[in-house]
Amino acid sequence: MTRRATLRTSHDDPAVIAAALDPDNTDSMHTTVEGDELVTTIERDSTGGLQSTVDDYVVNVTVAETVIDATRTHTDTNHE
């Protein structure tokens, strides 16, 4: 039996976050952008595998958002 989780996160620019995450996504993941939300569905054969993939994904979203925000802050600071 397949286990599935759908994660919805809101971002200022979800397409940029999606692009940053794309290289780390696996075949078990499907991501779309809906308005200001990044919607990712993860399917795995085991509960443990699903939990590990969700944990990794949440960390990757957090890192991507932090790096993008830092880059924008640095760019904005240099242009003032």
Side-chain angles (χ1 to χ4, degrees):
M1 181 163 88
T2 301
R3 278 78 171 159
R4 179 181 301 136
T6 300
L7 296 95
R8 291 180 170 271
T9 53
S10 297
H11 305 277
D12 290 336
D13 195 345
V16 172
I17 302 293
L21 296 175
D22 189 56
D24 288 326
N25 286 352
T26 66
D27 291 340
S28 66
M29 304 167 81
H30 176 72
T31 300
T32 59
V33 174
E34 297 178 8
D36 68 344
E37 289 186 330
L38 188 62
V39 181
T40 299
T41 301
I42 301 168
E43 293 184 354
R44 296 292 303 267
D45 291 333
S46 70
T47 302
L50 179 63
Q51 181 180 358
S52 294
T53 304
V54 168
D55 287 347
D56 289 346
Y57 177 81
V58 170
V59 169
N60 289 345
V61 168
T62 302
V63 169
E65 191 161 64
T66 300
V67 169
I68 290 165
D69 287 347
T71 301
R72 287 182 175 154
T73 299
H74 178 72
T75 302
D76 291 346
T77 302
N78 284 335
H79 288 91
E80 290 181 1

